[in-house]
Short mmCIF file of all heavy atoms in Angstrom, two decimals:
data_model
loop_
_atom_site.label_atom_id
_atom_site.label_comp_id
_atom_site.label_asym_id
_atom_site.label_seq_id
_atom_site.Cartn_x
_atom_site.Cartn_y
_atom_site.Cartn_z
N ILE A 372 -107.87 -52.70 -0.03
CA ILE A 372 -108.38 -51.40 -0.50
C ILE A 372 -108.29 -51.30 -2.02
O ILE A 372 -109.18 -50.74 -2.67
CB ILE A 372 -107.59 -50.24 0.16
CG1 ILE A 372 -107.87 -50.20 1.67
CG2 ILE A 372 -107.95 -48.90 -0.49
CD1 ILE A 372 -106.98 -49.23 2.42
N ALA A 373 -107.23 -51.87 -2.60
CA ALA A 373 -107.02 -51.81 -4.05
C ALA A 373 -107.92 -52.75 -4.82
O ALA A 373 -107.94 -52.73 -6.05
CB ALA A 373 -105.56 -52.11 -4.37
N GLY A 374 -108.69 -53.59 -4.09
CA GLY A 374 -109.63 -54.48 -4.76
C GLY A 374 -109.21 -55.93 -4.80
O GLY A 374 -109.85 -56.74 -5.49
N GLY A 375 -108.15 -56.29 -4.09
CA GLY A 375 -107.67 -57.67 -4.10
C GLY A 375 -107.94 -58.39 -2.80
O GLY A 375 -108.56 -57.86 -1.88
N ARG A 376 -107.42 -59.62 -2.71
CA ARG A 376 -107.57 -60.46 -1.52
C ARG A 376 -106.19 -61.01 -1.17
O ARG A 376 -105.52 -61.61 -2.01
CB ARG A 376 -108.56 -61.59 -1.80
CG ARG A 376 -108.74 -62.59 -0.66
CD ARG A 376 -109.98 -63.45 -0.93
NE ARG A 376 -109.93 -64.11 -2.22
CZ ARG A 376 -109.47 -65.35 -2.41
NH1 ARG A 376 -109.00 -66.06 -1.38
NH2 ARG A 376 -109.48 -65.89 -3.60
N TYR A 377 -105.78 -60.80 0.06
CA TYR A 377 -104.45 -61.22 0.49
C TYR A 377 -104.39 -62.75 0.60
O TYR A 377 -105.22 -63.36 1.28
CB TYR A 377 -104.12 -60.57 1.84
CG TYR A 377 -102.73 -60.84 2.35
CD1 TYR A 377 -101.61 -60.64 1.55
CD2 TYR A 377 -102.53 -61.28 3.66
CE1 TYR A 377 -100.33 -60.86 2.03
CE2 TYR A 377 -101.26 -61.50 4.16
CZ TYR A 377 -100.16 -61.30 3.33
OH TYR A 377 -98.90 -61.53 3.82
N ALA A 378 -103.42 -63.35 -0.07
CA ALA A 378 -103.34 -64.81 -0.15
C ALA A 378 -103.09 -65.48 1.19
O ALA A 378 -103.46 -66.63 1.40
CB ALA A 378 -102.25 -65.20 -1.15
N PHE A 379 -102.45 -64.74 2.11
CA PHE A 379 -102.02 -65.37 3.36
C PHE A 379 -102.86 -64.97 4.57
O PHE A 379 -102.41 -65.09 5.70
CB PHE A 379 -100.54 -65.03 3.61
CG PHE A 379 -99.65 -65.37 2.46
CD1 PHE A 379 -98.96 -64.36 1.79
CD2 PHE A 379 -99.51 -66.67 2.02
CE1 PHE A 379 -98.13 -64.66 0.72
CE2 PHE A 379 -98.68 -66.98 0.95
CZ PHE A 379 -97.99 -65.97 0.29
N ASP A 380 -104.08 -64.52 4.33
CA ASP A 380 -104.94 -64.10 5.44
C ASP A 380 -105.11 -65.21 6.48
O ASP A 380 -104.93 -64.99 7.67
CB ASP A 380 -106.32 -63.68 4.91
CG ASP A 380 -106.44 -62.16 4.85
OD1 ASP A 380 -105.60 -61.48 5.45
OD2 ASP A 380 -107.37 -61.66 4.20
N ARG A 381 -105.48 -66.38 6.01
CA ARG A 381 -105.73 -67.48 6.94
C ARG A 381 -104.43 -67.99 7.55
O ARG A 381 -104.38 -68.35 8.72
CB ARG A 381 -106.45 -68.62 6.22
CG ARG A 381 -107.88 -68.28 5.82
CD ARG A 381 -108.57 -69.47 5.19
NE ARG A 381 -109.94 -69.16 4.81
CZ ARG A 381 -110.77 -70.02 4.23
NH1 ARG A 381 -110.36 -71.26 3.95
NH2 ARG A 381 -112.00 -69.66 3.92
N LEU A 382 -103.39 -68.02 6.75
CA LEU A 382 -102.11 -68.52 7.23
C LEU A 382 -101.57 -67.64 8.35
O LEU A 382 -101.08 -68.12 9.37
CB LEU A 382 -101.10 -68.59 6.08
CG LEU A 382 -99.70 -69.11 6.41
CD1 LEU A 382 -99.77 -70.52 6.94
CD2 LEU A 382 -98.82 -69.06 5.16
N SER A 383 -101.67 -66.31 8.17
CA SER A 383 -101.09 -65.39 9.15
C SER A 383 -101.90 -65.29 10.43
O SER A 383 -101.44 -64.75 11.42
CB SER A 383 -100.92 -64.00 8.54
OG SER A 383 -102.15 -63.48 8.11
N THR A 384 -103.13 -65.84 10.43
CA THR A 384 -103.91 -65.82 11.67
C THR A 384 -103.33 -66.77 12.71
O THR A 384 -103.68 -66.68 13.89
CB THR A 384 -105.38 -66.23 11.40
OG1 THR A 384 -105.40 -67.52 10.77
CG2 THR A 384 -106.08 -65.22 10.53
N LYS A 385 -102.45 -67.66 12.29
CA LYS A 385 -101.80 -68.57 13.24
C LYS A 385 -100.76 -67.84 14.08
O LYS A 385 -100.25 -68.38 15.04
CB LYS A 385 -101.14 -69.72 12.49
CG LYS A 385 -102.11 -70.60 11.70
CD LYS A 385 -101.36 -71.71 10.98
CE LYS A 385 -102.31 -72.58 10.18
NZ LYS A 385 -101.58 -73.66 9.46
N TYR A 386 -100.43 -66.62 13.66
CA TYR A 386 -99.39 -65.86 14.34
C TYR A 386 -100.01 -64.62 14.97
O TYR A 386 -101.16 -64.30 14.73
CB TYR A 386 -98.28 -65.49 13.34
CG TYR A 386 -97.72 -66.68 12.62
CD1 TYR A 386 -98.30 -67.14 11.44
CD2 TYR A 386 -96.61 -67.35 13.12
CE1 TYR A 386 -97.79 -68.25 10.78
CE2 TYR A 386 -96.10 -68.45 12.47
CZ TYR A 386 -96.69 -68.90 11.30
OH TYR A 386 -96.20 -69.99 10.65
N LYS A 387 -99.21 -63.91 15.75
CA LYS A 387 -99.70 -62.70 16.38
C LYS A 387 -100.11 -61.69 15.32
O LYS A 387 -99.36 -61.42 14.39
CB LYS A 387 -98.61 -62.09 17.27
CG LYS A 387 -98.33 -62.88 18.54
CD LYS A 387 -97.29 -62.16 19.39
CE LYS A 387 -97.03 -62.92 20.67
NZ LYS A 387 -96.02 -62.24 21.52
N ALA A 388 -101.30 -61.14 15.49
CA ALA A 388 -101.79 -60.17 14.51
C ALA A 388 -100.89 -58.95 14.44
O ALA A 388 -100.82 -58.27 13.42
CB ALA A 388 -103.21 -59.74 14.87
N SER A 389 -100.18 -58.67 15.54
CA SER A 389 -99.34 -57.48 15.57
C SER A 389 -98.00 -57.69 14.88
O SER A 389 -97.25 -56.74 14.70
CB SER A 389 -99.10 -57.05 17.02
OG SER A 389 -98.46 -58.08 17.74
#
Side-chain angles (χ1 to χ4, degrees):
I372 293 171
R376 176 166 56 94
Y377 185 51
F379 306 117
D380 258 346
R381 291 184 179 179
L382 181 60
S383 59
T384 56
K385 298 179 181 179
Y386 305 88
K387 289 183 179 180
S389 60

